[in-house]
Amino acid sequence: MSRREAAGPTIAAVAHRWGFTSVSPSAGVFRAAYGVSPAQWRSSTVRGPHASAPGSPPQLPHAR
């Protein structure tokens, strides 16, 4: 399994699943709600020991 496959669906795929037609608007909504970009959240969960299990609520980092 490649590193990309291990990371789960792309940010674009998640944005489209939630009804956004492109990543930019969804990223802005995500950042406003959680204080980090989707890419920042993903990189912290892929590297961090507390990555969420599929189907569980995301463990989002606190904004600095």
Side-chain angles (χ1 to χ4, degrees):
M1 180 181 305
S2 74
R3 187 171 161 193
R4 170 63 223 115
E5 292 169 325
T10 64
I11 292 168
V14 173
H16 290 137
R17 187 180 314 149
W18 284 94
F20 290 94
T21 57
S22 68
V23 173
S24 295
S26 66
V29 170
F30 189 95
R31 182 181 291 277
Y34 299 110
V36 293
S37 73
Q40 290 169 319
W41 176 79
R42 170 167 276 180
S43 69
S44 71
T45 61
V46 169
R47 287 180 294 158
H50 303 294
S52 298
S56 65
Q59 299 297 315
L60 298 171
H62 295 287
R64 295 179 193 198

